[in-house]
Amino acid sequence: MRFHAIQNVETALRFLRYKEIKLVNIRGEDIVDGNPKLTLGLIWTIILHFQISDIVVGQEDLTAKEALLRWAQKTTHKYPGVEVRDFTQSWRDGLAFNAIIHRNRPDLLDWRQVENEGVRERIDLAFHVMGREYGVT
């Protein structure tokens, strides 16, 4: 059974490579074994390639990904220390997540306290608030 599952996943990964989708260190065994980091990364890659990248938003020549990035930049630009430039490095310190929450619902967290917290605490706070208030888990 496991062998067949790995074979099926490998077939899907070959298809993605054929479509020239960049896959880094993902093997069929990783997905079948339920490696959460690699599985979520693969899902995000698939969504990004097949859903978000091909969408053009409104009259402007922006993809949905570019529009989402622009929205995040506009939402957070007044927050000190927050500079959203991409979907990777810009989010690692937790400030951007908390800035978006605070911008939309300032009653949910104290921005001055967020600024003084460590990285781990900021990220934990953002995900705790999103889980509690919006059901994001």
Side-chain angles (χ1 to χ4, degrees):
M1 204 59 145
R2 176 178 160 73
F3 173 77
H4 295 294
I6 292 170
Q7 222 174 9
N8 289 338
V9 173
E10 286 296 339
T11 300
L13 294 175
R14 274 194 303 280
F15 172 76
L16 296 173
R17 287 185 192 101
Y18 170 78
K19 288 292 204 175
E20 298 181 359
I21 297 171
K22 183 179 176 185
L23 302 176
V24 180
N25 296 328
I26 298 177
R27 300 172 308 138
E29 292 90 348
D30 297 319
I31 304 305
V32 171
D33 292 342
N35 181 314
K37 185 175 180 179
L38 292 177
T39 303
L40 290 173
L42 178 61
I43 291 169
W44 173 246
T45 299
I46 292 169
I47 290 169
L48 186 60
H49 183 79
F50 290 105
Q51 292 292 320
I52 296 175
S53 295
D54 297 333
I55 299 171
V56 176
V57 178
Q59 297 293 324
E60 297 182 56
D61 192 22
L62 288 178
T63 65
K65 181 181 176 184
E66 292 165 334
L68 182 59
L69 183 62
R70 188 178 287 180
W71 171 83
Q73 290 167 335
K74 287 180 182 178
T75 301
T76 61
H77 81 278
K78 291 184 179 180
Y79 287 83
V82 180
E83 187 176 341
V84 177
R85 295 178 305 280
D86 54 36
F87 287 111
T88 54
Q89 291 291 114
S90 301
W91 303 87
R92 291 190 175 160
D93 65 3
L95 286 172
F97 287 118
N98 282 288
I100 288 173
I101 294 168
H102 187 262
R103 172 75 166 77
N104 292 287
R105 290 281 309 276
D107 59 304
L108 295 180
L109 52 87
D110 180 353
W111 179 253
R112 285 172 289 176
Q113 182 181 346
V114 168
E115 288 179 301
N116 294 323
E117 294 287 348
V119 171
R120 178 67 184 206
E121 290 78 17
R122 288 193 297 252
I123 292 171
D124 286 346
L125 175 63
F127 283 91
H128 174 74
V129 169
M130 291 302 292
R132 183 186 71 223
E133 297 294 325
Y134 300 105
V136 176
T137 57

